[in-house]
Amino acid sequence: MQYCYYESLVGQLLLTGRGCLETLNFPQGKTRREPEPGWIEDAAPFSKIMAQLDAYFEGSLRRFDLAPGLDFKVQGTSFQQKVWRELLNIPYGETISYGELAIRIGNPNAFRAVGMANGKNPISIIIPCHRVIGKDGSLTGFGGGVDVKKQLLFLEQKNG
């Protein structure tokens, strides 16, 4: 497993993967992670995504390039993959509810399952799960913590 740290506006992110990006981890919250023994610190596999993260945090990138050249791989169930694909359709600077996301994937009663899939997103920010909020507009759960979610939404609304 290779890893590197990326300094961002929301703190030091840990990027991990085997030759490509597999996870993006926040400095706090439930996705906080530390390198494990035997991991190799190597930023090379993550250079393209770090350039896009730079542009995102500068406010000039609205949508990440998920073409094969980005060098990423996410693993999940077919349901999770469906939810994550739909997250990519939420416009920069906008938010939707978990219920709306469930409707968009064709399963309006699955808002809890959608929330669970959202929480399992291994590359937050890139797949913008931070754009999903509670039905009442509250900033509910986020792997990096609600404060980070608030920062990301503010960044997008400011630059949108």
Side-chain angles (χ1 to χ4, degrees):
M1 180 74 80
Q2 296 147 309
Y3 75 95
C4 74
Y5 288 101
Y6 174 82
E7 293 297 331
S8 77
L9 294 176
V10 296
Q12 190 177 58
L13 305 176
L14 175 65
L15 309 178
T16 71
R18 292 172 192 87
C20 64
L21 179 67
E22 294 178 30
T23 69
L24 182 152
N25 304 278
F26 292 95
Q28 312 93 358
K30 66 181 179 181
T31 65
R32 186 183 188 307
R33 189 174 187 188
E34 294 292 327
E36 297 177 17
W39 286 13
I40 300 164
E41 188 166 6
D42 182 5
F46 314 111
S47 61
K48 291 177 184 174
I49 190 58
M50 287 191 298
Q52 289 193 51
L53 285 166
D54 286 343
Y56 172 81
F57 284 112
E58 291 166 1
S60 61
L61 182 74
R62 303 289 186 265
R63 185 179 179 96
F64 286 86
D65 178 7
L66 298 179
L70 180 58
D71 296 328
F72 78 98
K73 177 172 68 174
V74 293
Q75 296 183 23
T77 67
S78 59
F79 181 80
Q80 289 169 334
Q81 296 279 344
K82 187 175 188 178
V83 170
W84 299 339
R85 278 191 303 276
E86 190 58 39
L87 290 171
L88 296 169
N89 294 322
I90 304 170
Y92 180 90
E94 295 183 22
T95 58
I96 66 169
S97 70
Y98 293 96
E100 175 62 28
L101 185 54
I103 290 167
R104 288 184 183 191
I105 66 162
N107 198 342
N109 296 321
F111 58 91
R112 284 190 182 90
V114 162
M116 297 289 287
N118 207 43
K120 297 282 187 188
N121 175 8
I123 56 172
S124 296
I125 302 174
I126 298 161
I127 297 177
C129 57
H130 59 279
R131 296 180 188 155
V132 183
I133 60 173
K135 179 171 66 172
D136 63 358
S138 61
L139 301 184
T140 59
F142 185 65
V146 173
D147 287 342
V148 169
K149 185 173 192 166
K150 183 185 254 184
Q151 287 178 285
L152 293 170
L153 292 172
F154 176 78
L155 170 77
E156 291 185 9
Q157 289 164 355
K158 178 180 81 168
N159 294 313

